């Protein structure tokens, strides 16, 4: 049997729910024996051929944080053996003899029996309609001025939507929007809810103002902002660029840690370990949870030219990740080496 790469928690759960016996191999690209062609990878491949009744999967620990967190992975390599949904063993380290022992133990167990989940109750048409109405009301209340259109303000997907966006922007009216092409339930349901058969549709403080023809007529008749009764709404100042945000974040404190989770609740073993190292060295630091902002999570990789997390900065300059910080701590006074 071949070794399968798993890239999400859902993939592994699907395998577990069959009651299968599974060996999960957590690895990292910087750990040479774990890489394709490395010693551990070859051992796992050989075991997969020998124990055909066991499913062997590999997980890049930093790339699938939800799995690393759920199994409390703090070092690589780590092997976790599963019998259905039950954890049988967890082995940290790269001892081939110990790996063979836990796999043999798993192979000797009786396969787990998983009871299928009960099917969700079927909702009546009236219940579905009520749910949709509630959802439409929440969407309409998203902002004081809410536009339901085809596409987005930056990429309208019909001329009518493009024109109404131009009218609102020319009048300096702040608004939120919803692309009705992304959700057919909303697209069809809003026509009935508003008793208005076409798009775009503009709502002001929860009430339908109309479509393009009405808004265009109002704009031609005078001050659109006044006619819509939104003189009190002002456009927000332009947001800082991503580079400006990232620079400000790296300088937020003398020592700044970008991690998964928080120091009190790390969401991966690598983040937990670097927090422990900094705390042991009595180093005061601030942190940023990269799970809280996808733009920062992806942008900082390019800004720092460093592809993984955690990342540690001192006075706005990148020190490195866990491996570098751990090496520095092993070599002596970490606080002194960081110039603190």
């Amino acid at each position: 049997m071949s070794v399968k790469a798993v890239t999400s928690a859902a993939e592994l759960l699907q395998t577990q729910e069959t009651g299968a016996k599974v060996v999960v191999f957590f690895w990292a690209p910087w750990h040479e024996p774990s890489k394709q062609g490395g010693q551990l990878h070859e051992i796992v491949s050989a075991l997969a051929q020998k124990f055909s009744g066991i499913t062997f999967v590999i997980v890049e620990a930093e790339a699938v944080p939800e799995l690393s967190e759920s199994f409390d992975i703090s070092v690589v390599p780590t092997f976790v053996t599963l019998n259905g949904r039950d954890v049988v063993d967890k082995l940290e380290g790269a001892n081939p003899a110990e790996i063979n022992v836990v796999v043999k133990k798993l192979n000797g167990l009786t396969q787990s029996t998983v009871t299928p989940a009960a099917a969700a109750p079927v909702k009546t048409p009236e219940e579905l309609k009520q749910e949709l109405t509630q959802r439409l009301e929440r969407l309409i209340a998203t902002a004081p001025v809410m536009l339901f259109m085809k596409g987005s303000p930056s990429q309208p997907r019909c001329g009518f939507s493009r024109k109404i966006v131009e009218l609102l922007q020319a009048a300096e009216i702040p608004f939120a929007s919803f692309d009705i092409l992304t959700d057919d339930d909303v697209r069809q349901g809003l026509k009935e809810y508003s008793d208005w058969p076409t798009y775009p549709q503009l709502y002001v403080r929860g009430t339908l103002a109309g479509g393009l023809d009405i808004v265009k007529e109002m704009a031609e008749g005078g001050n659109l902002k006044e006619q819509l009764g939104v003189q009190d709404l002002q456009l927000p100042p332009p947001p800082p660029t991503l580079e400006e945000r990232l620079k400000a974040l790296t300088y937020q404190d003398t020592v700044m840690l970008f991690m998964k989770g928080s120091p009190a609740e790390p969401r991966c073993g690598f983040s937990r370990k670097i927090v422990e190292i900094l705390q042991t060295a009595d180093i005061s630091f601030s942190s940023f949870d990269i799970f809280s902002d996808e733009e920062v999570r992806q942008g900082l990789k390019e800004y720092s030219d460093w592809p993984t997390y955690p990342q540690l900065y001192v006075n706005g300059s990148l020190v490195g990740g866990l491996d570098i910080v751990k090496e520095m701590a092993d070599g002596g006074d970490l606080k002194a080496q960081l110039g603190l």
Side-chain angles (χ1 to χ4, degrees):
M1 183 179 289
S2 61
V3 180
K4 176 186 176 184
V6 166
T7 58
S8 71
E11 281 186 75
L12 181 59
L13 181 61
Q14 188 175 22
T15 302
Q16 288 179 271
E17 287 183 338
T18 66
K21 299 175 184 178
V22 185
V23 174
V24 188
F25 169 30
F26 288 91
W27 70 289
W30 45 263
H31 186 259
E32 289 297 327
S34 299
K35 294 169 67 173
Q36 182 86 28
Q39 180 191 22
L40 281 180
H41 196 280
E42 293 300 315
I43 289 172
V44 171
S45 297
L47 288 171
Q49 294 298 323
K50 181 178 180 181
F51 296 98
S52 58
I54 297 177
T55 301
F56 286 78
V57 302
I58 58 173
V59 178
E60 186 179 342
E62 292 182 342
V64 195
E66 64 269 29
L67 279 179
S68 297
E69 181 188 357
S70 65
F71 290 107
D72 195 24
I73 304 301
S74 59
V75 298
V76 291
T78 293
F79 293 84
V80 178
T81 59
L82 306 169
N83 190 15
R85 296 175 183 168
D86 299 324
V87 176
V88 179
D89 282 301
K90 179 180 176 183
L91 175 64
E92 296 180 342
N95 187 315
E98 292 180 347
I99 297 168
N100 196 49
V101 168
V102 297
V103 172
K104 280 185 175 179
K105 176 181 173 182
L106 178 65
N107 188 59
L109 297 178
T110 302
Q111 185 165 325
S112 173
T113 301
V114 178
T115 304
V122 178
K123 294 181 180 179
T124 66
E126 290 76 15
E127 289 174 328
L128 292 173
K129 184 176 181 179
Q130 184 180 10
E131 284 186 0
L132 178 58
T133 298
Q134 292 171 346
R135 185 176 174 219
L136 295 174
E137 289 172 346
R138 288 195 298 269
L139 284 172
I140 291 167
T142 299
V145 180
M146 185 68 189
L147 177 64
F148 292 84
M149 62 181 290
K150 295 179 180 178
S152 65
S154 60
Q155 292 185 316
R157 294 183 61 184
C158 81
F160 303 104
S161 292
R162 179 179 294 107
K163 183 60 181 176
I164 200 168
V165 166
E166 290 172 355
L167 291 171
L168 294 171
Q169 290 176 338
E172 297 186 349
I173 296 174
F175 66 97
S177 68
F178 183 89
D179 180 3
I180 52 96
L181 297 179
T182 64
D183 192 315
D184 201 56
D185 286 341
V186 171
R187 181 179 184 177
Q188 302 302 330
L190 193 61
K191 293 178 183 179
E192 182 179 347
Y193 178 89
S194 63
D195 195 22
W196 194 271
T198 59
Y199 289 100
Q201 292 185 21
L202 184 70
Y203 285 76
V204 177
R205 305 191 198 278
T207 301
L208 178 67
L212 172 61
D213 50 350
I214 290 179
V215 174
K216 185 172 182 288
E217 185 178 332
M218 293 171 73
E220 291 171 348
N223 188 309
L224 180 59
K225 207 170 198 180
E226 290 181 0
Q227 293 186 74
L228 290 175
V230 292
Q231 304 94 311
D232 58 315
L233 301 182
Q234 301 297 324
L235 289 172
T241 65
L242 177 58
E243 185 172 351
E244 289 171 339
R245 284 189 66 205
L246 295 174
K247 185 175 181 180
L249 283 170
T250 60
Y251 278 96
Q252 188 169 293
D253 201 347
T254 302
V255 181
M256 192 68 194
L257 177 64
F258 293 83
M259 62 181 291
K260 296 175 180 179
S262 66
E265 294 184 357
R267 294 182 59 188
C268 82
F270 304 100
S271 291
R272 179 181 295 107
K273 184 63 178 176
I274 200 168
V275 166
E276 290 172 356
I277 291 172
L278 293 172
Q279 291 175 338
T280 300
D282 195 26
I283 294 173
S284 176
F285 66 97
S286 295
S287 67
F288 183 90
D289 179 4
I290 51 99
F291 283 144
S292 69
D293 192 315
E294 186 65 18
E295 187 178 40
V296 170
R297 180 180 183 179
Q298 299 303 330
L300 193 62
K301 294 178 184 180
E302 184 175 345
Y303 178 86
S304 64
D305 195 23
W306 194 270
T308 59
Y309 290 99
Q311 294 184 19
L312 185 70
Y313 286 75
V314 174
N315 292 320
S317 296
L318 176 68
V319 175
L322 171 61
D323 49 347
I324 289 178
V325 175
K326 186 175 184 298
E327 185 177 336
M328 293 173 72
D330 291 342
D333 187 340
L334 178 61
K335 187 179 278 190
Q337 291 183 75
L338 292 175
L340 302 172

